[in-house]
């Protein structure tokens, strides 16, 4: 929301970072710490996360553009004769675009058993298994229930203390549809060396 956007930029964006924003109205800022030397893979992942949590999700877009800028390009001062709403910032100078990012999000568990969401490329490396969702016209609470049910099938006892609210907390605003389920590595490989084995991607199963 506007308040958290302001806090993020005012308190956490410093020299050496880069700030991301979707190229549409209604987007969070994402900050890549130390991003002035970001890799193409980092650009792709942060851009995907940015558009997934923007209004692109709720409006059901298939893909959206994002851009990144340096901290000195983000200003709280509006150009002469213009007004900035609370939580909005003016961007000065050239924008660096990452175009046609698919609007999707992956959900899994981190190494401490907490539910997390992000670009699929990140979840492949950081979680044992994950689900990938795209926007859908259904209640967010219904989506969260389905995601929780599917995660419990993938993770079993690791999900004992997790509930629907924990899922909703990490998902974009609006409903979603599960389109992929993937097991990234065997359970015994987590935490060990060379544990980034590939998994088999499967098509979506019938909706629950």
């Amino acid at each position: 929301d506007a308040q958290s956007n302001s806090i993020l930029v005012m308190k956490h964006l410093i020299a050496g970072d880069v700030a991301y924003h979707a190229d549409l109205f209604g987007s969070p800022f994402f900050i890549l710490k130390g991003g002035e030397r970001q890799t193409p893979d980092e650009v792709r992942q942060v851009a995907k996360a940015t558009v997934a949590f923007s209004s692109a999700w709720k409006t059901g877009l298939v893909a959206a553009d994002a851009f990144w800028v340096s901290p000195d390009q983000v200003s709280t001062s509006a150009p002469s004769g213009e007004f900035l709403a609370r939580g909005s910032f003016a961007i000065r100078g050239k924008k660096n675009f990452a175009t046609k990012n698919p609007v999707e999000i992956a959900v899994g568990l981190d190494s401490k058993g907490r539910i997390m969401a992000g670009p699929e490329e990140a979840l492949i490396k950081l979680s044992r298994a994950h689900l990938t969702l795209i926007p859908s016209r259904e209640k967010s609470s219904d989506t969260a229930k389905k995601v929780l049910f599917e995660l419990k099938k993938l993770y079993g006892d690791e999900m004992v203390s997790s509930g629907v609210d924990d899922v909703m907390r990490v998902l974009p605003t609006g409903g979603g549809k599960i389109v992929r389920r993937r097991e990234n590595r065997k359970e015994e490989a987590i935490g060990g060396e060379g544990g980034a084995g590939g998994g088999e991607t499967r098509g979506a199963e019938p909706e629950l």
Side-chain angles (χ1 to χ4, degrees):
D1 57 21
Q3 183 177 6
S4 58
N5 248 358
S6 296
I7 292 172
L8 188 69
V9 172
M10 301 297 292
K11 291 190 175 182
H12 299 287
L13 182 62
I14 62 174
D17 298 339
V18 291
Y20 281 76
H21 195 277
D23 191 31
L24 44 77
F25 181 79
S27 170
F29 277 96
F30 267 67
I31 297 174
L32 180 58
K33 304 300 291 181
E36 62 181 356
R37 295 182 179 180
Q38 61 189 341
T39 66
D41 187 53
E42 288 172 332
V43 172
R44 182 172 61 255
Q45 289 191 39
V46 183
K48 285 179 67 175
T50 303
V51 300
F53 285 95
S54 75
S55 58
W57 186 278
K58 197 167 186 179
T59 54
L61 297 182
V62 174
D65 298 343
F67 62 83
W68 59 269
V69 294
S70 59
D72 58 7
Q73 293 180 256
V74 183
S75 174
T76 56
S77 301
S80 179
E82 296 183 20
F83 169 77
L84 282 179
R86 181 183 179 187
S88 298
F89 295 85
I91 305 297
R92 307 181 187 281
K94 178 185 176 182
K95 298 175 182 177
N96 304 279
F97 282 90
T99 60
K100 300 180 180 179
N101 304 286
V103 181
E104 62 180 31
I105 200 76
V107 186
L109 298 189
D110 67 11
S111 60
K112 296 182 179 180
R114 299 171 297 191
I115 299 175
M116 63 175 175
E120 190 170 38
E121 297 94 328
L123 271 289
I124 288 173
K125 296 179 180 178
L126 299 174
S127 64
R128 177 166 60 82
H130 71 268
L131 310 170
T132 301
L133 292 80
I134 60 173
S136 177
R137 293 182 178 275
E138 70 173 18
K139 292 182 179 179
S140 55
S141 58
D142 290 340
T143 297
K145 290 175 184 176
K146 292 178 181 179
V147 169
L148 182 64
F149 179 80
E150 293 296 327
L151 286 176
K152 285 183 176 180
K153 290 202 298 184
L154 289 170
Y155 284 94
D157 293 343
E158 295 178 66
M159 297 290 300
V160 171
S161 61
S162 300
V164 172
D165 289 343
D166 299 306
V167 176
M168 291 188 67
R169 193 174 297 118
V170 303
L171 292 179
T173 301
K177 176 183 179 182
I178 300 171
V179 293
R180 288 191 295 279
R181 298 163 176 80
R182 171 169 171 150
E183 295 185 17
N184 304 318
R185 47 192 160 157
K186 295 185 180 298
E187 187 171 4
E188 61 268 18
I190 290 183
E193 296 182 1
E200 183 174 322
T201 302
R202 296 174 290 175
E205 298 172 8
E207 289 198 25
L208 305 174

